Amino acid sequence: MGEHLAFHGTVIHSLGLSELEIIEDALMVVSDGRIVRLDKHIPKAEVPTLLESLSSPKEVRYLGRGEFLIPGFVDTHNHAPQYAQRGLGQSMHILDWLDKVTFPNEARFQDIGYAKRIYSQCVDGFLKQGITTASYYGSLHADATNILADLCLQKGQRAFVGKCNMNRNAPEFYRDASVESSLADTEACIRHIRKIDPEGKLLKHVLTPRFATTCDPELLKGLGKIASENPDLPIQTHFNEAEQEINFTKTLFPEFKNEADLYESFGLLNRRSILAHCCFMTDYEMDRLKSLECGVAHCPISNMTVGGGFMASPIRQFLGRGIKVGLGTDSGGGYSSSILDAMRQALVASNAREVASQGQDRGLGISELFFLATLGGAQVCCLDDKIGNFEVGKEFDALLINSGTPGIMTMLEDWDSTETIFDKFIMTGDDRNIDQVYVRGRLVKS
Ligand code: GUN
Ligand code: FE
């Protein structure tokens, strides 16, 4: 790359759950995709001389009023093959929705041409929404999953890409033929990503048992073995999503009292595990997630549509216990591919939970939602040493926000403080306010 970038203006990022840092007149310098300087309160007039002395970038982008830089959004839970089915069957319960809408749709990804077309639109669509990192479930097809990985690399999105494992309780036309073929396809996908991105600059394979009901114990065991032999690979599954799903899981695995014990016994719970939903959680299971250092992908939109978890997900309790939490669009169970929408729905769900818990589980504030969408997501993906905020040394995954575009966010007033402008963007902005998207310093949307 060898490229230098410099920005002068407002920079906003999270230092922690309730620590939002707003830096005015910041000077940010990026070199080879990495943040090399972040100076605070540098008068605009001093920028040229300062940069001259650094002998780095000559071009500076000066941000005007209403413009600011934020870290890229992290989508910790997303189904790439559901991109074209977003919004369908939103009144159904999870297992019926899988049977009637999702499995027939995902089966189409057998067709390579179809996979290329939809996955290309999917990656473009998420980059447009400012999602610089996504943890993707693929379909069960190895070839289509490799195409998704190729596209993420070409288009410059940081991604976890997983071939979905499922060999039972799915129609014959859409399930892995055997435990052996499911594991062999997984190994092939792992090799493919290691070949196209040998240093893992952008991509990782993510082990993706869809959930326990669609996986034989032998398959879960095989995936646990791959996980233990490959300590660099993340793991993702659906966890305590809905009562319908939990009850079915219990009938299939009567030897386990809960899903935490189930997945742990197969070697699938550790600090690299990303557990989607976590709606119905006992104290015991929360303790297990904390001890095992698992992360939660909170998917507030699908929880309140196909998931049936409604406002049951105890996010405030997870945060209080120090469990890692990020946000997921869960696109297509979630109807939206915008993390801003997920943030707003997380706020609504948390308010509902506050009422239902008689004030015990306090609702989430805007800076907390922003943390979940950025640094929290990075922690869940164990990428917080690389991304999530603008600490010097991290990679430059960033969004240039323009909240002043007339006709889009019309309610920007002369007297609004930066904090007010930020709050308005989070609650009322959309992708039209995201002017530029960078991943590792590469401009991937402008
Ligand atoms: N559980 C198993 N598969 C899925 C899926 O595709 N979406 C959701 N929301 N839950 C699931
Ligand atoms: Fe999901």
Side-chain angles (χ1 to χ4, degrees):
M1 231 172 294
E3 254 180 80
H4 296 297
L5 300 165
F7 299 87
H8 179 267
T10 304
V11 166
I12 304 176
H13 65 163
S14 272
L15 300 175
L17 174 62
S18 42
E19 269 179 281
L20 183 74
E21 187 178 44
I22 298 179
I23 311 171
E24 307 282 8
D25 289 320
L27 176 64
M28 167 109 73
V29 182
V30 176
S31 182
D32 286 332
R34 226 171 260 284
I35 300 161
V36 293
R37 278 187 89 96
L38 178 57
D39 297 306
K40 301 176 184 183
H41 315 302
I42 305 290
K44 193 172 168 180
E46 287 174 23
V47 172
T49 14
L50 213 140
L51 287 178
E52 201 63 41
S53 72
L54 297 175
S55 72
S56 53
K58 304 291 170 246
E59 296 249 324
V60 188
R61 168 77 193 251
Y62 291 99
L63 309 185
R65 184 169 160 74
E67 289 186 313
F68 50 90
L69 282 174
I70 59 173
F73 294 135
V74 180
D75 185 353
T76 60
H77 183 83
N78 183 316
H79 298 263
Q82 294 174 19
Y83 192 65
Q85 72 169 68
R86 283 169 302 161
L88 299 183
Q90 297 279 289
S91 312
M92 292 175 159
H93 285 283
I94 188 68
L95 301 182
D96 310 307
W97 172 81
L98 286 172
D99 271 341
K100 300 214 164 59
V101 178
T102 302
F103 293 155
N105 178 68
E106 289 192 11
R108 291 179 208 276
F109 286 78
Q110 169 83 22
D111 173 349
I112 295 305
Y114 183 72
K116 278 191 181 145
R117 180 161 70 82
I118 301 299
Y119 283 163
S120 179
Q121 291 179 49
C122 169
V123 175
D124 286 342
F126 283 97
L127 284 173
K128 182 175 152 195
Q129 295 294 340
I131 292 171
T132 51
T133 299
S135 190
Y136 286 119
Y137 287 57
S139 65
L140 61 73
H141 313 100
D143 289 343
T145 304
N146 290 342
I147 286 169
L148 175 60
D150 292 343
L151 286 164
C152 292
L153 191 64
Q154 271 168 34
K155 293 174 185 290
Q157 188 175 43
R158 196 183 293 279
F160 292 173
V161 178
K163 172 233 161 339
C164 195
N165 299 97
M166 44 188 289
N167 72 335
R168 65 166 169 176
N169 290 314
E172 203 162 323
F173 64 83
Y174 191 58
R175 64 177 179 227
D176 288 316
S178 65
V179 170
E180 292 72 27
S181 72
S182 186
L183 295 173
D185 284 348
T186 302
E187 305 262 19
C189 290
I190 294 170
R191 283 195 300 274
H192 181 76
I193 286 188
R194 287 186 179 153
K195 188 176 82 193
I196 61 171
D197 186 13
E199 291 169 64
K201 285 183 174 165
L202 285 179
L203 302 182
K204 271 181 202 263
H205 182 85
V206 52
L207 297 169
T208 307
R210 182 165 210 131
F211 59 161
T213 69
T214 56
C215 299
D216 276 343
E218 281 308 305
L219 180 53
L220 294 173
K221 208 164 123 190
L223 291 168
K225 184 160 176 282
I226 297 177
S228 73
E229 291 164 355
N230 296 271
D232 55 321
L233 299 184
I235 304 163
Q236 61 185 356
T237 195
H238 295 87
F239 193 93
N240 286 338
E241 178 177 7
E243 280 170 332
Q244 192 189 30
E245 167 266 316
I246 293 169
N247 293 336
F248 188 36
T249 305
K250 282 196 176 132
T251 65
L252 294 170
F253 293 92
E255 65 276 36
F256 296 108
K257 288 205 185 71
N258 56 70
E259 294 194 8
D261 289 351
L262 189 167
Y263 289 104
E264 187 190 356
S265 80
F266 290 104
L268 294 167
L269 295 191
N270 58 42
R271 64 185 288 273
R272 297 169 282 130
S273 307
I274 305 172
L275 304 178
H277 306 291
C278 300
C279 291
F280 298 95
M281 299 290 291
T282 58
D283 282 340
Y284 171 79
E285 282 186 285
M286 285 194 268
D287 287 345
R288 294 311 296 144
L289 296 202
K290 171 66 184 160
S291 307
L292 295 160
E293 299 178 76
C294 301
V296 173
H298 178 41
C299 305
I301 296 184
S302 59
N303 288 351
M304 296 171 98
T305 55
V306 296
F310 205 58
M311 78 291 195
S313 190
I315 299 305
R316 178 61 69 192
Q317 293 189 35
F318 295 150
L319 295 171
R321 289 167 190 257
I323 295 171
K324 298 177 287 182
V325 185
L327 290 179
T329 58
D330 196 9
S331 152
Y335 51 76
S336 166
S337 35
S338 156
I339 285 281
L340 289 166
D341 282 345
M343 288 162 85
R344 293 163 198 157
Q345 189 69 8
L347 182 140
V348 171
S350 73
N351 283 347
R353 184 153 180 115
E354 178 172 321
V355 174
S357 70
Q358 295 178 319
Q360 212 184 326
D361 293 345
R362 234 171 356 94
L364 298 166
I366 287 187
S367 53
E368 293 175 314
L369 296 163
F370 182 69
F371 164 84
L372 297 181
T374 55
L375 187 56
Q379 291 171 350
V380 167
C381 295
C382 295
L383 290 173
D384 50 315
D385 57 334
K386 278 192 180 178
I387 56 158
N389 64 12
F390 293 132
E391 244 176 66
V392 171
K394 285 193 181 182
E395 297 180 10
F396 186 66
D397 286 15
L399 314 181
L400 175 54
I401 305 301
N402 179 2
S403 55
T405 314
I408 300 176
M409 265 182 56
T410 50
M411 299 317 292
L412 206 58
E413 302 281 11
D414 287 346
W415 52 83
D416 283 346
S417 66
T418 302
E419 204 167 0
T420 300
I421 295 171
F422 175 73
D423 286 2
K424 285 181 173 179
F425 164 67
I426 296 295
M427 292 311 294
T428 68
D430 61 39
D431 59 280
R432 292 168 299 176
N433 303 108
I434 303 176
D435 269 0
Q436 295 186 336
V437 178
Y438 290 88
V439 178
R440 294 186 88 243
R442 171 178 166 193
L443 188 60
V444 293
K445 169 199 168 180
S446 65

